[in-house]
Amino acid sequence: QMQLVQSGAEVKKTGSSVKVSCKASGYTFTYRYLHWVRQAPGQALEWMGWITPFNGNTNYAQKFQDRVTITRDRSMSTAYMELSSLRSEDTAMYYCAPGGSPGTFDIWGQGTMVTVSS
Amino acid sequence: QSALTQPASVSGSPGQSITISCTGTSSDVGSYNLVSWYQQHPGKAPKLMIYEVSKRPSGVSNRFSGSKSGNTASLTISGLQAEDEADYYCCSYAGSSTRFGGGTKLTVL
C-alpha cells in the first residue's frame, strides 16, 4: 500500500535551515506530484509547494518563495523540503503528501515536527 | 493568497446533521470543481473525506457528502457520531497554488 515515511523531529536555531525528507513506497514515485503542507501548533493547514518527481519541476507558495527549496532523489523515491532563515513562526508540523487530482491529498506522511528557538 | 473562510466551530447532537461551509473566491472555489475536505483528529495527520467537490474515497462513510454553489463549498455530515468530533479543513485548487481553509472544530454534544 502507498506509504510515506518522513524524517524525525528537528530542533533548530533561529536563522538556520532545516531539511526534511519524505520516502515514498507502494506507488510509482515519478507518477504523482509531491506536496509539502505545514501546520503550526493549534493553527490551520498551510500549503507550501510541490515538486514533480519525474523532472524536478517545482512550484512554491508565494509566502515561501524566497526560503523554501523542494528537491527529490528519484533513485531513492525520496523528496526533500529545505526551509532557510528559520524564525520562531516556522515552528510547525511539516507533512508531505502526493497529489491526486489538483488539490487532493489522499495519503499523508506521519509528519515531522520542527521546533525553532533562539 | 488568502485562506478559504470556514466557521471556527460547529456543533450537533448524535444523530443530527451538520453542514460546514467553505467560502472562497472566483479564483479558487468558484473556478474549479477541485475542492476537497479533510478530517483531523488531535495529534493525527489529516484524512481525506471528500475530493473533487462531492466524491468519496473508498472507505469513507456515506454519511459524509460535499457540494458547491458559486464560491462556496459545503461539507455535510449526517447521523452525527461521537467519532466525527474533529477538526475539518476544506482545500481548493487555485491554479498556480492550493489553498486551505482556516479549519472548523466540530463538537458532538
Side-chain angles (χ1 to χ4, degrees):
Chain A
Q1 73 282 17
M2 295 173 60
Q3 189 175 13
L4 298 163
V5 178
Q6 299 182 221
S7 48
E10 301 262 13
V11 178
K12 292 292 183 179
K13 294 288 190 185
T14 303
S16 67
S17 298
V18 68
K19 190 171 186 177
V20 180
S21 68
C22 170
K23 182 172 178 60
S25 62
Y27 72 98
T28 303
F29 180 61
T30 52
Y31 281 9
R32 305 180 77 176
Y33 287 32
L34 197 291
H35 297 251
W36 289 89
V37 176
R38 79 176 188 180
Q39 185 174 36
Q43 302 301 309
L45 300 168
E46 185 174 29
W47 177 77
M48 300 181 70
W50 54 248
I51 187 167
T52 53
F54 177 74
N55 59 15
N57 285 350
T58 54
N59 180 38
Y60 303 132
Q62 195 171 4
K63 174 177 179 177
F64 302 104
Q65 190 81 35
D66 296 335
R67 297 195 298 134
V68 72
T69 303
I70 301 175
T71 56
R72 94 298 187 211
D73 181 335
R74 287 176 54 169
S75 67
M76 298 288 290
S77 295
T78 300
Y80 304 90
M81 187 284 300
E82 183 170 21
L83 189 62
S84 62
S85 302
L86 290 169
R87 34 220 194 214
S88 59
E89 311 89 90
D90 294 319
T91 292
M93 185 72 81
Y94 289 77
Y95 294 102
C96 62
S101 56
T104 300
F105 310 112
D106 52 356
I107 65 164
W108 296 66
Q110 85 275 21
T112 297
M113 186 67 205
V114 176
T115 303
V116 182
S117 67
S118 54
Chain B
Q1 296 177 343
S2 301
L4 308 176
T5 301
Q6 299 179 231
S9 63
V10 297
S11 62
S13 299
Q16 289 186 329
S17 295
I18 63 95
T19 296
I20 300 172
S21 62
C22 170
T23 301
T25 69
S26 58
S27 298
D28 40 58
V29 175
S31 284
Y32 307 95
N33 288 325
L34 293 168
V35 176
S36 53
W37 290 89
Y38 301 87
Q39 176 191 67
Q40 187 179 36
H41 287 109
K44 301 293 187 181
K47 175 186 176 183
L48 177 67
M49 305 302 285
I50 295 288
Y51 68 102
E52 294 177 10
V53 175
S54 60
K55 296 179 181 179
R56 262 189 322 274
S58 173
V60 172
S61 170
N62 59 10
R63 298 186 298 106
F64 291 82
S65 62
S67 63
K68 190 187 88 166
S69 177
N71 295 338
T72 298
S74 299
L75 172 71
T76 297
I77 309 174
S78 59
L80 269 180
Q81 298 179 1
E83 59 262 35
D84 298 333
E85 185 162 295
D87 293 327
Y88 290 84
Y89 293 93
C90 63
C91 176
S92 176
Y93 179 66
S96 60
S97 69
T98 298
R99 293 175 188 152
F100 284 96
T104 298
K105 181 174 180 57
L106 169 61
T107 300
V108 180
L109 302 170

